[in-house]
Amino acid sequence: AETLAASVQSELDPGIVQMHSSEYRNPSQLRDGSVLIVGVGNSGAEIALEIARSHPTWLSGRDTGHVPFRIEGTAARFLVIPLFRFVFHHVLTVNTPMGRKNRLKILSHGMPLVRTRPKDLAAAGIQRVPRVVGARDGLPVLEDGRVLDVANVIWCTGFHPGFSWIDLPILGELGPLHERGVVTGEPGLYFVGLTFLFAASSSMIHGVGRDAEYVVRTIRKRQRHTRQNEGADLLHPRNARLQVPSRAK
């Protein structure tokens, strides 16, 4: 996805204003005319809602789902959010069938919308369109073959974690191969903070803390095991020195 986005960006007309969501501040950065937002995650949806007040707006990408309640309400703050926090932390983990199923979905399609709903986007006049798959004559091409004549493109495609510097055979299709952040095939290599490393909460404060504690416990256990092995080696007969008493003169 990252390679495709980079390829399309380089093929778009130079007159089209392009930026990543991390560079976006407000609609004044944009040209007059329509806006294509690529990526239907939380950033893409919220930026689209703001821009749609002053520009015709298209939102491109797969539907990632949404949290089925308003997080701003009192009931949500004191009842529903604690429940979802429990589910994200204890139920949606790699140890449960439901967690493993959702992990694949989240890693391949992204987290669900939290503050916005599809009906909010529709009410704002935002047009949902399929994924961007290329460029033609300097304009973005959608998965259904349509070409969009837009003046601006905002890439809300997230960030690549950047594992290319790790020259070890530990990368799979969805990222590093590990067990709760511990790379079993490469002792000494650990990860924390990855999306759904162990649970849906792994990229949240309370989740990353638990994952870090597990990694620390694993490191301590390995250190104790190493010291025990070193002590056992010293006591092994092959390493014992033969002590010969000196003769009295």
Side-chain angles (χ1 to χ4, degrees):
E2 182 191 30
T3 304
L4 174 62
S7 173
V8 174
Q9 290 174 36
S10 65
E11 294 178 27
L12 293 183
D13 189 289
I16 295 176
V17 173
Q18 297 189 68
M19 68 184 71
H20 189 266
S21 57
S22 61
E23 303 169 299
Y24 174 80
R25 297 295 178 268
N26 55 65
S28 67
Q29 297 171 271
L30 306 175
R31 285 180 51 194
D32 290 339
S34 56
V35 181
L36 171 63
I37 297 176
V38 182
V40 194
N42 286 286
S43 295
E46 292 178 17
I47 290 174
L49 283 175
E50 181 177 59
I51 290 177
R53 300 171 190 154
S54 55
H55 295 72
T57 304
W58 285 286
L59 184 58
S60 165
R62 298 189 183 99
D63 187 353
T64 59
H66 63 282
V67 174
F69 62 90
R70 295 288 184 186
I71 67 170
E72 298 86 359
T74 302
R77 188 178 302 117
F78 293 104
L79 297 175
V80 184
I81 289 180
L83 174 61
F84 267 75
R85 176 171 172 154
F86 177 86
V87 171
F88 272 44
H89 199 58
H90 298 286
V91 179
L92 297 181
T93 76
V94 297
N95 291 336
T96 68
M98 183 187 299
R100 290 189 290 272
K101 180 180 179 179
N102 277 273
R103 183 176 188 268
L104 291 174
K105 182 178 180 181
I106 289 173
L107 291 180
S108 57
H109 299 300
M111 293 288 284
L113 300 180
V114 176
R115 288 174 291 271
T116 56
R117 297 181 178 185
K119 66 179 182 180
D120 299 331
L121 303 173
I126 298 166
Q127 298 185 55
R128 301 289 297 272
V129 294
R131 295 169 57 240
V132 173
V133 295
R136 185 185 308 155
D137 298 327
L139 297 173
V141 178
L142 303 178
E143 199 169 31
D144 60 6
R146 279 184 289 168
V147 178
L148 295 184
D149 186 4
V150 296
N152 309 271
V153 177
I154 301 178
W155 297 92
C156 300
T157 49
F159 297 88
H160 192 275
F163 296 122
S164 59
W165 61 276
I166 302 178
D167 190 17
L168 295 169
I170 56 96
L171 298 178
E173 185 178 349
L174 297 176
L177 304 174
H178 62 84
E179 295 180 9
R180 292 197 67 173
V182 178
V183 181
T184 55
E186 297 290 343
L189 181 59
Y190 309 91
F191 292 93
V192 292
L194 300 183
T195 300
F196 219 124
L197 182 141
F198 172 69
S201 63
S202 285
S203 54
M204 305 172 189
I205 292 176
H206 60 297
V208 75
R210 178 177 64 180
D211 294 341
E213 289 176 358
Y214 179 84
V215 167
V216 170
R217 287 197 302 270
T218 300
I219 293 173
R220 287 177 176 171
K221 187 183 299 182
R222 286 180 170 179
Q223 289 175 337
R224 286 195 298 269
H225 183 69
T226 300
R227 286 195 295 267
Q228 289 170 357
N229 285 344
E230 290 174 349
D233 282 344
L234 291 175
L235 296 175
H236 196 280
R238 71 170 180 270
N239 294 322
R241 295 182 179 180
L242 179 62
Q243 298 293 327
V244 180
S246 59
R247 294 180 179 179
K249 293 184 179 179

